[in-house]
Amino acid sequence: MKKKCLCRMSGIKSSLIIVFIGLVICSFILPTVAFSGDTINLTYSGFMPPTHAQSKLEAAWCKEVGKRTNGRVKITHYSGQTLTKAAQNYQGVKSGLSDLGCSVLQYTRGRFPMMDFINLPLGYPNGQIATAIINEVYEKFAPKELDEVKVLYLHAHGPGFIHTKDKPVHKMEDLKGLKIRSHGPTASMVQALGGTPTAFPMNELYQSLQKGVVQAGLYPLESNKGWKMAEVTDYVIACYPTAYSLGFFVVMNKDKWNALPEKDQKIIEGINGEWIFKHGKTWEAGAFEGINFLLQAGNSMIGIDPKEAKRWKKACEPVLQDYIDLNNEKGLPGEEVLKYVEKRLADNEKGKFESNYMEKK
């Protein structure tokens, strides 16, 4: 009798050990999602201040996901780099430090060679066009450089210009010796025009201009109000033929995405489409608000003479060739991407720009 009991107890212990080992193995293999009752809790890392219009859109997206999933998915938004720094945001999502995140593709230079096209001085006219084009290119060319994460959507700001403190600029020679905050291809553009590029995050630029660490910055018109840059600059150098944009990613940890119920994935993808429109329109509206803010601050906008603008465009040609050469080295269709983007910008100039990533009029 005792032997039977001992055998039975031994069997139970063995079963428990097997179950325990199985659970341990599963914890390493299966993606982890934080559950609270019937709710999936996720974190979203943003780098812009909470007062910024784009940061508010991120927070609104999180709330909309919660609303449309009937509370099954709850996303907590962390703005102002409180969860991960802007330059570490992508890696943070990939490794699971945050579940979702938004930052700038250019902040991790070299990681997204094909998508770097958005940062080139191609003459982007506004945020809606730039946002539509960056999503079109991602859809058409499906760059593998973003395969490490789930791309929810992309967006891009309106025309980026050089903003100077104290010194007006009318020709390339006026840029000589100026330290100008810039990154990636925009830094190459600054160098091509005769300036001295200096790289650091946007959130450090206000104080750097204030203290004279740099004499200028490269950013969109929107930042004059969104980041209060008009308070520490005097001039906007509006050379539209060489206007660049910046590409922003909204991505999610791939395992966390795959762990979501399919019905909630479909709901989120539907919201993403709507938010692409919202971001593009908000960038465009922000540009007008930025102009108004800088003029009220007593700043001036300097339009570059058309003949001089052609000189700027000619000087920037090596920056475009660098993009093509780098992509060729990696076996990527950089030249094809560039031709596509130039065609789409030409479509806009002819009044023939239509896109699935813009709201129908």
Side-chain angles (χ1 to χ4, degrees):
M1 187 70 180
K2 282 185 179 180
K3 286 184 179 180
K4 286 184 180 179
C5 287
L6 286 171
C7 288
R8 191 179 294 116
M9 288 298 292
S10 177
I12 291 169
K13 286 180 181 178
S14 298
S15 298
L16 289 173
I17 290 169
I18 290 168
V19 169
F20 176 74
I21 291 170
L23 289 171
V24 170
I25 291 170
C26 285
S27 70
F28 284 99
I29 295 174
L30 297 175
T32 56
V33 177
F35 286 91
S36 177
D38 295 326
T39 302
I40 299 170
N41 294 290
L42 301 169
T43 57
Y44 185 128
S45 179
F47 76 98
M48 288 181 272
T51 54
H52 196 287
Q54 296 293 330
S55 183
K56 290 179 180 178
L57 268 181
E58 293 169 15
W61 180 90
C62 295
K63 288 181 181 177
E64 194 67 17
V65 169
K67 179 182 174 182
R68 295 200 201 174
T69 60
N70 294 317
R72 291 188 301 275
V73 181
K74 181 182 179 183
I75 304 173
T76 303
H77 181 248
Y78 294 88
S79 60
Q81 305 188 100
T82 53
L83 194 55
T84 50
K85 299 295 183 183
Q88 284 76 49
N89 209 326
Y90 180 86
Q91 184 62 31
V93 171
K94 180 190 169 186
S95 64
L97 289 174
S98 63
D99 302 315
L100 305 97
C102 174
S103 192
V104 178
L105 291 164
Q106 193 172 239
Y107 284 177
T108 46
R109 191 177 185 184
R111 192 162 195 165
F112 311 106
M114 199 189 303
M115 295 305 292
D116 244 356
F117 80 87
I118 194 66
N119 310 311
L120 298 173
L122 292 169
Y124 293 97
N126 60 61
Q128 288 197 71
I129 298 294
T131 293
I133 288 175
I134 192 172
N135 283 285
E136 284 181 7
V137 169
Y138 180 71
E139 179 186 31
K140 180 178 177 63
F141 294 93
K144 292 182 179 179
E145 59 204 47
L146 282 159
D147 281 356
E148 300 168 314
V149 294
K150 165 64 180 178
V151 176
L152 297 176
Y153 61 90
L154 306 164
H155 58 96
H157 67 52
F161 298 130
I162 295 171
H163 294 68
T164 62
K165 183 181 180 183
D166 299 325
K167 186 177 181 179
V169 171
H170 297 278
K171 56 186 185 298
M172 276 196 294
E173 288 74 13
D174 296 333
L175 293 168
K176 189 174 181 179
L178 282 185
K179 288 184 180 179
I180 305 171
R181 180 264 179 188
S182 49
H183 283 268
T186 59
S188 299
M189 180 186 87
V190 164
Q191 198 163 25
L193 294 173
T196 302
T198 306
F200 50 81
M202 187 68 177
N203 65 306
E204 296 177 19
L205 181 55
Y206 188 101
Q207 282 195 335
S208 296
L209 284 163
Q210 203 172 39
K211 294 177 179 178
V213 176
V214 292
Q215 294 80 49
L218 202 60
Y219 49 83
L221 292 167
E222 178 278 333
S223 295
N224 286 290
K225 182 179 180 182
W227 291 83
K228 308 297 183 187
M229 290 301 164
E231 296 177 351
V232 287
T233 55
D234 300 294
Y235 302 99
V236 181
I237 317 307
C239 185
Y240 275 89
T242 56
Y244 78 100
S245 182
L246 277 187
F248 295 76
F249 60 77
V250 179
V251 299
M252 184 171 178
N253 180 277
K254 220 165 188 179
D255 288 338
K256 298 294 177 70
W257 172 259
N258 291 333
L260 290 177
E262 187 177 350
K263 62 180 178 181
D264 291 329
Q265 289 180 348
K266 288 180 179 178
I267 289 170
I268 290 171
E269 286 178 337
I271 298 170
N272 294 342
E274 296 172 25
W275 252 249
I276 290 172
F277 301 152
K278 289 177 183 288
H279 281 283
K281 289 170 71 175
T282 300
W283 279 122
E284 190 164 355
F288 289 105
E289 291 173 7
I291 292 171
N292 188 48
F293 188 85
L294 72 90
L295 293 175
Q296 287 182 348
N299 294 5
S300 301
M301 289 190 74
I302 298 175
I304 298 300
D305 179 84
K307 287 184 179 179
E308 178 65 17
K310 286 183 180 179
R311 288 184 66 212
W312 288 42
K313 196 167 180 65
K314 181 73 174 174
C316 288
E317 285 179 1
V319 181
L320 308 186
Q321 189 60 49
D322 285 347
Y323 168 82
I324 293 171
D325 292 343
L326 177 63
N327 278 274
N328 282 345
E329 288 172 12
K330 296 179 180 294
L332 300 172
E335 189 168 6
E336 192 179 345
V337 170
L338 199 55
K339 285 179 179 178
Y340 177 82
V341 174
E342 288 174 332
K343 179 186 179 302
R344 296 299 282 138
L345 290 170
D347 289 342
N348 178 63
E349 288 181 8
K350 296 171 186 174
K352 296 179 180 179
F353 191 96
E354 292 183 359
S355 175
N356 291 330
Y357 296 102
M358 286 180 66
E359 284 184 310
K360 304 301 179 187
K361 293 181 181 179

